[in-house]
Amino acid sequence: MITITTAAPEQLAIVQQIAYATWPHTFGSILSPKQIDYMLKMMYDLDVLTESVEKKNVVFLLANVDGVFGGFAGYELHYKKEPVSKLHKIYVLPSMQGKNVGQALMSEVERISREAGMEKLSLNVNRDNKAAGFYERNGFTKTGEEDIDIGDGFFMNDAIMTKKL
């Protein structure tokens, strides 16, 4: 059974642990080990996660699968002061993939977004990430691309995907 809950501040370390366990599997064939390490530190340092929650209105959801935290999602309502929910992050442990954990997280973000009156759900995904197929199966369409300079000579080469709610 999958249970989705909002992460308490003291549970942000779980988000960090899942990211560190998931990223090498997810991005190992797309990004260099140096870029993966750089991005993990940039995005998943506990201070960065705390600031995301406290100052940027990001909410983290945790998926508990039979007593084990198997994935998380981070979203923001009213992204850029628009009726848009932004899915900033969604990751599932490799051992939990294929068990509907990502689907449960996505469904919960969509439910919360609809209840909050959001008209669209938006996300960025690395253009070479096979997760793009998951998003397409969930009704997202590619609406653009962007290359984001994240420093140290690294870029995020993303597709922008949106879904009408």
Side-chain angles (χ1 to χ4, degrees), residues 133-154:
F134 168 78
Y135 300 128
E136 289 170 352
R137 289 189 299 278
N138 275 277
F140 286 83
T141 56
K142 182 177 171 184
T143 55
E145 291 185 347
E146 63 182 335
D147 296 318
I148 304 164
D149 185 341
I150 58 171
D152 211 29
F154 297 121

Side-chain angles (χ1 to χ4, degrees), residues 18-139:
I18 293 170
Y20 272 77
T22 304
W23 270 57
H25 178 265
T26 303
F27 296 108
S29 64
I30 301 171
L31 306 175
S32 71
K34 186 176 177 188
Q35 184 169 352
I36 292 171
D37 186 55
Y38 176 82
M39 291 178 71
L40 281 169
K41 288 177 181 156
M42 180 187 84
M43 296 178 176
Y44 292 98
D45 179 87
L46 285 179
D47 290 337
V48 172
L49 291 172
T50 299
E51 183 179 328
S52 294
V53 171
E54 293 178 354
K55 296 185 177 155
K56 297 180 180 174
N57 300 315
V58 174
V59 176
F60 286 97
L61 301 176
L62 288 169
N64 186 313
V65 184
D66 298 323
V68 176
F69 288 110
F72 72 88
Y75 70 92
E76 174 185 356
L77 299 175
H78 304 285
Y79 182 66
K80 295 185 177 180
K81 301 188 187 325
E82 298 287 329
V84 174
S85 185
K86 175 78 172 197
L87 180 63
H88 288 287
K89 308 167 187 313
I90 183 168
Y91 291 100
V92 175
L93 289 173
S95 63
M96 296 282 181
Q97 291 177 5
K99 297 182 180 182
N100 292 319
V101 177
Q103 189 63 57
L105 286 162
M106 181 66 74
S107 295
E108 185 65 3
V109 170
E110 288 184 22
R111 183 193 67 76
I112 292 166
S113 299
R114 279 191 190 96
E115 286 183 5
M118 300 298 101
E119 295 172 5
K120 290 192 300 187
L121 183 56
S122 175
L123 61 86
N124 282 32
V125 61
N126 181 291
R127 291 193 285 266
D128 296 319
N129 189 335
K130 63 183 178 187
F134 168 78
Y135 300 128
E136 289 170 352
R137 289 189 299 278
N138 275 277

Side-chain angles (χ1 to χ4, degrees), residues 1-28:
M1 181 166 147
I2 302 170
T3 306
I4 308 293
T5 57
T6 301
E10 63 273 10
Q11 291 178 308
L12 292 176
I14 297 168
V15 170
Q16 181 188 54
Q17 291 165 0
I18 293 170
Y20 272 77
T22 304
W23 270 57
H25 178 265
T26 303
F27 296 108

